[in-house]
Amino acid sequence: MKKLFNILIIMLLASASVVFAKSGIELGMFVPLGLGVGINQYSLTNKNATAQQTNNFQSAVKQADRRSSVGFDSGFLFHIGYRFDINKDLSFSLLGEIGYSHDEFLYYRNSSDKNYQNTYTYMFESMVFAIYPKLNWKKFSFGLNVGIKLPLYIRSMSSYTDYNNKNIKRNIEHYNAFQIKNIFNEPVMPYIKFSVDYSIYTDKKFALVLGGYIGYDFGLSLKNTLLNDQAIAKMTKQTISSFDVGFQVGIKILPNN
């Protein structure tokens, strides 16, 4: 029995050495460019709210009326990990992702008079840390990034536009890495992103890659809910998040291939 077990182990190791004979380290550098749709949500934290409180909550949210708008996203991402070759056309890569991300969450509010508009913007400059498994088939790669963004700097801007008089009033606030905790309960932004890449040029160790992605930056909750009704604001949670879509260009290096 022991000999049979040893033979099976030897056969398994031999098979693995054949299957992953060309496996090796994989490196990548990518620049994503895209658009982010800001999502603003309110929820009552008081689970036993009275009917009157619920009605007041709905009225306050309707009055705030923050609607989704579109911002600009960009960054620089570095990938490092290991690629396992399965056969000539198929391989699997397990990578880590680290880098920098610029994200804009935008919202707007129209007044009853269409000649006026309020706009709210949050700009995040963040470090990115993620796990990035992907399946490679011929010149295509299909990956799923799961990670977090750690904001190092935030710029918050509210603006009031008077279209009749062609006048814009802005209020801009800046927060560094140590001050961010003053406006958000948890200054960490989880995110998930699905990407598809195509190698438009390849040789044995290098590939020029063009691709696209869709993703979601999960909600950050504000410490001070922005509602006019302060009594309702104290029992309301406000979160901001973003749905992202864009393209990315980069290079992939297989030094051990």
Side-chain angles (χ1 to χ4, degrees):
M1 187 68 180
K2 185 177 180 180
K3 289 184 178 180
L4 179 60
F5 178 75
N6 290 336
I7 291 173
L8 289 174
I9 293 295
I10 293 172
M11 290 178 63
L12 181 61
L13 293 174
S15 299
S17 65
V18 172
V19 171
F20 300 127
K22 295 183 180 180
S23 302
I25 294 173
E26 179 176 333
L27 307 174
M29 290 173 283
F30 285 82
V31 175
L33 296 171
L35 301 175
V37 179
I39 301 171
N40 182 80
Q41 296 175 308
Y42 297 97
S43 59
L44 272 174
T45 57
N46 185 356
K47 302 301 181 182
N48 298 315
T50 65
Q52 184 61 51
Q53 288 174 331
T54 301
N55 290 335
N56 291 343
F57 166 75
Q58 293 172 349
S59 297
V61 170
K62 185 177 180 180
Q63 186 180 27
D65 191 31
R66 285 196 172 194
R67 303 180 186 180
S68 296
S69 189
V70 178
F72 173 72
D73 297 336
S74 63
F76 180 82
L77 303 173
F78 178 70
H79 299 152
I80 182 169
Y82 206 80
R83 186 198 64 180
F84 302 91
D85 281 0
I86 298 173
N87 57 42
K88 180 181 178 181
D89 296 325
L90 187 65
S91 63
F92 173 78
S93 300
L94 183 59
L95 308 174
E97 179 176 78
I98 185 172
Y100 156 77
S101 179
H102 168 86
D103 301 280
E104 296 180 2
F105 293 12
L106 267 69
Y107 314 92
Y108 74 94
R109 176 177 179 268
N110 287 325
S111 66
S112 55
D113 187 338
K114 299 300 181 182
N115 293 311
Y116 304 95
Q117 186 182 78
N118 291 321
T119 304
Y120 310 91
T121 306
Y122 296 91
M123 296 183 183
F124 297 87
E125 315 299 336
S126 309
M127 288 292 294
V128 174
F129 301 93
I131 297 175
Y132 181 31
K134 64 174 184 174
L135 187 67
N136 311 299
W137 178 68
K138 294 186 177 180
K139 292 187 176 183
F140 289 94
S141 293
F142 307 88
L144 184 67
N145 306 59
V146 179
I148 59 172
K149 297 179 181 180
L150 298 177
L152 302 178
Y153 173 80
I154 295 178
R155 183 168 66 172
S156 173
M157 181 175 66
S158 59
S159 62
Y160 175 78
T161 304
D162 181 347
Y163 293 106
N164 278 338
N165 299 314
K166 298 181 180 179
N167 182 37
I168 300 177
K169 296 180 181 179
R170 289 191 177 94
N171 178 52
I172 302 176
E173 297 177 345
H174 304 267
Y175 303 91
N176 61 34
F178 301 102
Q179 297 169 325
I180 292 172
K181 62 183 180 181
N182 295 329
I183 59 172
F184 293 110
N185 288 313
E186 297 293 339
V188 178
M189 189 190 310
Y191 79 97
I192 187 170
K193 181 174 69 175
F194 174 74
S195 60
V196 178
D197 298 325
Y198 179 77
S199 299
I200 58 178
Y201 170 80
T202 60
D203 62 19
K204 290 184 177 180
K205 294 187 177 182
F206 173 86
L208 180 61
V209 179
L210 181 65
Y213 67 87
I214 57 173
Y216 189 79
D217 297 329
F218 290 87
L220 289 164
S221 62
L222 278 71
K223 279 197 169 182
N224 298 312
T225 302
L226 302 178
L227 292 175
N228 291 334
D229 188 331
Q230 294 303 305
I232 293 299
K234 291 179 181 180
M235 62 177 69
T236 300
K237 180 180 179 181
Q238 180 183 2
T239 59
I240 58 172
S241 54
S242 178
F243 174 77
D244 307 321
V245 60
F247 71 93
Q248 56 189 15
V249 61
I251 59 173
K252 184 168 61 176
I253 304 170
L254 303 170
N256 294 338
N257 189 20

